[in-house]
Amino acid sequence: MTRLLSAAAPADIEAVAALLQDGGIAALPTETVYGLAGDALNPTAVQAIYAAKGRPADNPLIVHIAGPDDLSALARKIPSAARLLAERFWPGPLSIVFPRQPHVPDVVTAGLDTVAVRVPAHPAFLDVLRAGGRPLAAPSANRAGSPSSTTAAHVLHDLDGLIPAVLDGGPCTVGVESTVIDLTNKPCLLRPGGVPLEALREVLGEIAVHPAVSGELAANAQPGAPGMKYRHYSPTANVIVVDGDVQHAAEYLGWVGTGESAVLCPAEEAACFSGQRVVTYGSLTDPATLARGLFDALRTLDTPDVTHIYARCPLDETGISRAVRNRLLKAAAFQTVTV
Ligand code: AMP
Ligand code: MG
């Protein structure tokens, strides 16, 4: 059994900090999604994270620190661009990839010479970091490949009995993972996320976008962010992204839809799919709500009677919509239909 603790209770925060200091692991709320945390400098703790998640060993973890002052203990060759980004976006949903310090364990970085670091913007997570005084490795707190967890209930659904504790801090406010930017060479976006690319470009100017962000990696390509090569964020059903006009999409689904299919769409489009099983995930007029609702909706549709999920998402690649679309494309293993 996994202990359910409360982020509002100081004694529970202390209990989690003590557990982590002892080399244990625990799920903690962040502003993005729940993280499964362990002492980043303790290979046994980090190994336990991989084991609980069933995460492939070649998919590196993001290391969380309490503030920029803790960065130089993990990272080398910190460019001025990183200082500028940290000043503007930390604490917040931005992970930055640096050359790593030699004592960062191989298991954290999946053997890479680089390490991804961020300062999370969640008071409970920051309290735990400050109490422990150690950096915490924390991937999303879900079984590998499943949609990320945005509530403590999601964490328990996936990991009950596999981890000692989850600290309940309520639903995550951002709802998709951090943006990952590689600053080891020319700035390159490895994963869209909570901080929009446009906001990063305001600070740094030109930023390349890794090809894996919008299309599937060629089977033999070397991924810049190793997690990119996996089908990800997926329920057991087959996810298909349906692009194009909503009326055409409704006609298309009237044609292909069977008893085992469901539609995942923004609230505005629900009425167009009458007669279909529909789950909505936020509103097109406020894309932040799409991000916040996406993983919960995917989990709602993760039932044995749903074999196909036809997903609608914004086509526009601006702001947080870029991350929403990326997560759905990855859940769909880039299967799209344009109607
Ligand atoms: P998760 O914590 O589950 O959101 O996954 C973390 C993701 O961050 C990985 O799948 C990688 O895509 C990325 N990442 C972590 N460390 C590195 C690194 N050293 N270099 C490039 N990408 C990284
Ligand atoms: Mg993850």
Side-chain angles (χ1 to χ4, degrees), residues 53 55 59-62 97 109 112 114-116 138-140 177 180 190-191 224-228 232:
K53 285 186 55 104
R55 184 175 177 102
N59 191 0
L61 308 184
I62 293 168
V97 176
T109 68
L112 297 174
T114 56
V115 62
S140 52
E177 299 80 353
V180 181
L190 299 183
R191 177 174 77 179
M228 289 172 167
H232 229 113

Side-chain angles (χ1 to χ4, degrees), residues 114-133:
T114 56
V115 62
V117 184
R118 85 174 185 108
V119 179
H122 193 291
F125 201 120
L126 288 170
D127 283 347
V128 171
L129 277 166
R130 290 189 196 109

Side-chain angles (χ1 to χ4, degrees), residues 264-308:
L264 175 66
C265 66
E268 289 86 346
E269 297 190 347
C272 300
F273 298 105
S274 58
Q276 305 272 353
R277 175 167 179 182
V278 177
V279 168
T280 64
Y281 72 104
S283 165
L284 287 169
T285 58
D286 182 4
T289 61
L290 297 173
R292 217 173 286 143
L294 178 63
F295 288 131
D296 184 69
L298 280 169
R299 284 173 172 271
T300 301
L301 287 170
D302 197 5
T303 61
D305 57 324
V306 176
T307 60
H308 291 77

Side-chain angles (χ1 to χ4, degrees), residues 43-138:
T44 312
V46 176
Q47 205 63 65
I49 295 173
Y50 279 87
K53 285 186 55 104
R55 184 175 177 102
D58 63 351
N59 191 0
L61 308 184
I62 293 168
V63 179
H64 296 68
I65 54 175
D69 289 350
D70 298 338
L71 183 57
S72 53
L74 301 169
R76 294 180 295 118
K77 299 188 189 162
I78 299 165
S80 56
R83 300 276 174 214
L84 292 173
L85 292 181
E87 222 165 84
R88 172 97 176 257
F89 299 108
W90 282 358
L94 177 67
S95 300
I96 305 178
V97 176
F98 301 97
R100 69 162 156 163
Q101 293 288 7
H103 65 271
V104 176
D106 274 346
V107 62
V108 171
T109 68
L112 297 174
D113 289 336
T114 56
V115 62
V117 184
R118 85 174 185 108
V119 179
H122 193 291
F125 201 120
L126 288 170
D127 283 347
V128 171
L129 277 166
R130 290 189 196 109
R134 310 273 287 181
L136 294 174

